[in-house]
């Protein structure tokens, strides 16, 4: 007994084995992803505007080797890739850990919402749009957030000569006697097939030969991706069965104070545009083929300038002009423009690989102060958007990376002709951030 007592006193302990009690294992919730992608429905296409699901032409099949790079995968990736339910308009929603939310629908490959936080962390929607699919069908829709094609902007008189063949083609004239944004039924008015790979949504559309007058059958693909650093990445690709022209773009109408804020807060934006020249236009807004230097003109945004100061200097009631972006040699993406709203602190930077960028300040949106005199007088006809917002003149601005307008008819403009065996690639990045502190 004494030895046992001495052993215990020396610090040695006797281990007692307790019977094991079965307990339910602790359930650890999976970590929330940096970017979450949700898919749901946004509506149905009316029967009269169904997508035509004709097979590709023989000429297009000859260039199938190139098409494989941009062709949609097999239909098992998503039921929306099947022609049996293309009537469904799908909506894709990204949510990032930095409180950004982006929504895109397959009708027109359209961005319907971009919610980003301000310097106080309060998110707000900064792009124009509508609440319902039927509202996107209306003729007064000014292409809000849509993918534009086959050719963005004007083609004068709706005629073009495709070189080197020298063939002349007549396109539809949907804006006066000119062709505009792809015609009556451009890429913005069709329901795109879509599938998901990772956090990327890829949409595809086949534009048949001579649709709106364009030569060649074109297969187009647009991919959307949202990253955790609040960047929207868009990549557009096209191939063709015969020489044609291609110039795709995206028409987001921004107001960094919130899409509902109106002109007063839109004027506060401070704009920077990386361009030494712009394409001169005539009285109708059509390019003349000349490129003017921005220095000493109201088009000089090489240093940050306030729209409140610059807009009154424009005689046409606002900006609607293509800037010639200053690109570096062998540079993939080029910084094109920056928009800053000092009150909210939101900053938007736009990058692209295209040589031009159309800057538009919503001059043709409904103007409450304008009354038109004619056979009968009429005044302000409101355009109602999301959440009952009435969009007004100068309440939003648009920055469209693109090729130059009517480039096919001006030899000194960048090439816009796409030939069989080639792939048209247009990349856009919208980077959102916050300016902390005061802007001087």
């Amino acid at each position: 007994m004494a030895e046992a007592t001495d052993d215990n006193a020396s610090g040695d302990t006797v281990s007692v084995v307790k019977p094991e009690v079965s307990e339910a294992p602790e359930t650890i919730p999976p970590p929330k992803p940096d970017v979450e992608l949700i898919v749901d429905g946004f509506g149905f296409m009316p029967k009269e505007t169904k997508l035509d699901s004709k097979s590709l032409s023989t000429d297009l099949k000859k260039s199938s080797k190139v098409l494989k790079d941009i062709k949609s995968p097999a239909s098992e990736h998503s039921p929306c890739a099947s022609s049996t339910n293309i009537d469904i308009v799908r909506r894709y929603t990204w949510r990032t850990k930095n409180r950004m939310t982006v929504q895109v629908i397959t009708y027109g490959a359209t961005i319907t919402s971009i919610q980003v936080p301000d310097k106080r962390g309060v998110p707000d929607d900064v792009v124009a749009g509508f609440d319902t699919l039927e509202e996107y069908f209306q003729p007064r829709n000014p292409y809000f957030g849509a993918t534009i094609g086959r050719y963005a902007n004007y083609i004068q008189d709706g005629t073009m000569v495709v070189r080197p063949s020298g063939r002349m083609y007549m396109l539809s004239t949907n804006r006066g006697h000119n062709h505009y944004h792809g015609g009556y039924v451009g890429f913005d008015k069709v329901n795109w097939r879509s599938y998901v790979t990772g956090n990327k949504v890829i949409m595809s559309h086949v534009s048949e030969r001579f649709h709106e007058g364009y030569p060649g059958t074109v297969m187009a693909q647009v991919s959307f991706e949202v990253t955790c650093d609040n960047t929207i990445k868009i990549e557009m690709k096209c191939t063709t069965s015969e020489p044609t022209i291609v110039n795709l773009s995206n028409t987001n109408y921004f107001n960094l104070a919130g899409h509902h804020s109106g002109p007063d807060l839109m004027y506060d934006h401070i704009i920077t545009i990386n361009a030494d020249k712009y394409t001169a236009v005539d009285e109708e807004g059509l390019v003349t083929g000349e490129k003017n230097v921005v220095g000493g003109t109201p088009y000089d945004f090489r240093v940050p300038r306030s729209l409140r100061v610059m807009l009154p200097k424009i005689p046409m009631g606002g900006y609607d002009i293509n800037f010639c972006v200053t690109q570096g040699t062998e540079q993939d993406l080029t910084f094109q423009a920056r928009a800053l709203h000092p009150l909210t602190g939101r900053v938007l930077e736009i990058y692209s690989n295209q040589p031009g960028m159309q800057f538009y300040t919503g001059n043709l949106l409904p103007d409450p102060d304008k009354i038109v005199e004619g056979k009968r007088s009429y005044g302000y006809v409101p355009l109602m958007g999301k959440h009952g917002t009435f969009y007004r003149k100068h309440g939003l601005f648009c920055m469209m990376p693109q090729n130059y307008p009517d480039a096919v008819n001006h030899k000194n403009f960048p090439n816009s002709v796409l030939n069989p065996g080639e792939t048209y690639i247009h990349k856009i990045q919208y980077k959102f951030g916050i300016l902390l502190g005061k802007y001087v």
Side-chain angles (χ1 to χ4, degrees):
M1 290 294 295
E3 291 179 359
T5 304
D6 293 341
D7 290 342
N8 290 339
S10 65
D12 294 335
T13 59
V14 179
S15 61
V16 179
V17 179
K18 296 181 179 180
E20 294 184 0
V21 180
S22 59
E23 295 180 358
E26 295 183 7
T27 56
I28 302 175
K32 190 174 182 179
D34 292 342
V35 181
E36 184 181 12
L37 177 58
I38 302 170
V39 186
D40 64 350
F42 191 67
F44 295 90
M45 294 290 290
K47 292 183 179 180
E48 61 269 17
T49 58
K50 282 184 180 179
L51 259 181
D52 188 5
S53 57
K54 293 180 181 178
S55 59
L56 297 179
S57 65
T58 305
D59 292 334
L60 189 60
K61 291 178 180 177
K62 292 180 182 179
S63 59
S64 59
K65 184 177 180 181
V66 179
L67 287 169
K68 286 180 181 179
D69 295 334
I70 70 169
K71 192 176 180 181
S72 300
S75 60
E76 62 263 17
H77 285 278
S78 168
C80 199
S82 170
S83 61
T84 58
N85 61 355
I86 195 65
D87 295 338
I88 300 174
V89 176
R90 296 189 177 269
R91 176 173 57 188
Y92 296 90
T93 304
W94 290 263
R95 293 192 177 98
T96 75
K97 64 179 181 180
N98 294 323
R99 306 183 68 184
M100 178 180 184
T101 303
V102 178
Q103 291 186 326
V104 177
I105 61 173
T106 53
Y107 177 72
T110 300
I111 296 176
T112 59
S113 175
I114 302 176
Q115 295 189 31
V116 288
D118 62 8
K119 60 186 178 183
R120 295 180 178 86
V122 180
D124 201 353
D125 196 344
V126 298
V127 293
F130 301 103
D131 290 321
T132 65
L133 178 62
E134 288 71 24
E135 289 175 293
Y136 279 97
F137 295 155
Q138 63 179 307
R140 297 187 67 212
N141 173 16
Y143 305 93
F144 282 155
T147 297
I148 302 299
R150 290 189 195 185
Y151 202 92
N153 222 307
Y154 282 102
I155 295 179
Q156 188 170 359
D157 297 325
T159 60
M160 64 177 189
V161 177
V162 178
R163 297 180 178 84
S165 66
R167 293 181 179 177
M168 176 177 286
Y169 296 92
M170 302 293 294
L171 306 180
S172 59
T173 52
N174 60 313
R175 183 67 68 90
H177 55 85
N178 303 302
H179 181 82
Y180 185 70
H181 276 4
Y184 292 100
V185 183
F187 287 1
D188 62 294
K189 294 181 179 64
V190 297
N191 194 26
W192 294 56
R193 291 186 167 95
S194 64
Y195 70 95
V196 177
T197 170
N199 283 328
K200 184 182 294 186
V201 174
I202 299 179
M203 303 183 185
S204 60
H205 168 62
V206 176
S207 177
E208 299 293 344
R209 187 173 186 237
F210 293 137
H211 179 73
E212 300 292 337
Y214 287 98
T217 299
V218 167
M219 172 172 276
Q221 175 185 288
V222 180
S223 68
F224 297 90
E225 183 181 9
V226 180
T227 62
C228 60
D229 62 348
N230 288 6
T231 299
I232 303 174
K233 297 181 179 180
I234 303 174
E235 186 173 55
M236 308 173 179
K237 294 182 179 180
C238 290
T239 56
T240 181
S241 62
E242 61 185 275
T244 188
I245 61 171
V246 174
N247 177 29
L248 272 57
S249 189
N250 183 271
T251 53
N252 280 308
Y253 281 67
F254 295 100
N255 188 328
L256 298 183
H259 73 101
H260 49 80
S261 299
D264 290 339
L265 291 180
M266 204 282 277
Y267 293 146
D268 292 334
H269 284 81
I270 297 172
I271 304 295
T272 308
I273 299 177
N274 177 28
D276 294 328
K277 297 180 180 179
Y278 66 93
T279 50
V281 296
D282 58 18
E283 295 179 354
E284 297 183 27
L286 304 173
V287 292
T288 62
E290 299 177 351
K291 291 185 285 187
N292 294 345
V293 177
V294 300
T297 73
Y299 299 100
D300 189 359
F301 286 94
R302 292 175 296 180
V303 296
R305 298 187 187 278
S306 170
L307 284 181
R308 192 177 297 276
V309 175
M310 301 299 288
L311 270 175
K313 300 180 181 180
I314 302 296
M316 294 179 291
Y319 291 92
D320 191 6
I321 201 75
N322 171 69
F323 285 88
C324 308
V325 176
T326 304
Q327 294 179 296
T329 57
E330 299 182 5
Q331 192 173 16
D332 184 22
L333 289 178
T334 301
F335 166 73
Q336 289 200 342
R338 178 187 294 109
L340 162 67
H341 193 261
L343 182 62
T344 61
R346 292 189 182 97
V347 181
L348 166 64
E349 290 185 348
I350 299 178
Y351 297 80
S352 175
N353 62 349
Q354 293 300 291
M357 189 199 74
Q358 188 82 12
F359 180 45
Y360 173 58
T361 50
N363 317 323
L364 298 179
L365 292 176
D367 186 359
D369 300 325
K370 184 178 181 181
I371 297 178
V372 179
E373 297 289 344
K375 293 182 179 179
R376 59 179 182 176
S377 298
Y378 63 94
Y380 172 56
V381 180
L383 176 64
M384 189 173 73
K386 291 182 287 189
H387 313 301
T389 301
F390 291 104
Y391 297 125
R392 295 178 289 157
K393 178 180 178 180
H394 293 169
L396 304 151
F397 67 90
C398 187
M399 292 177 168
M400 290 175 51
Q402 60 172 10
N403 198 344
Y404 297 178
D406 202 21
V408 66
N409 294 320
H410 298 278
K411 294 181 179 179
N412 59 323
F413 283 4
N415 175 54
S416 62
V417 176
L418 179 67
N419 293 301
E422 300 174 346
T423 304
Y424 167 90
I425 300 178
H426 179 185
K427 298 178 182 180
I428 304 175
Q429 288 189 10
Y430 298 112
K431 294 188 176 183
F432 291 89
I434 299 172
L435 177 72
L436 300 177
K438 293 184 177 181
Y439 181 82
V440 179

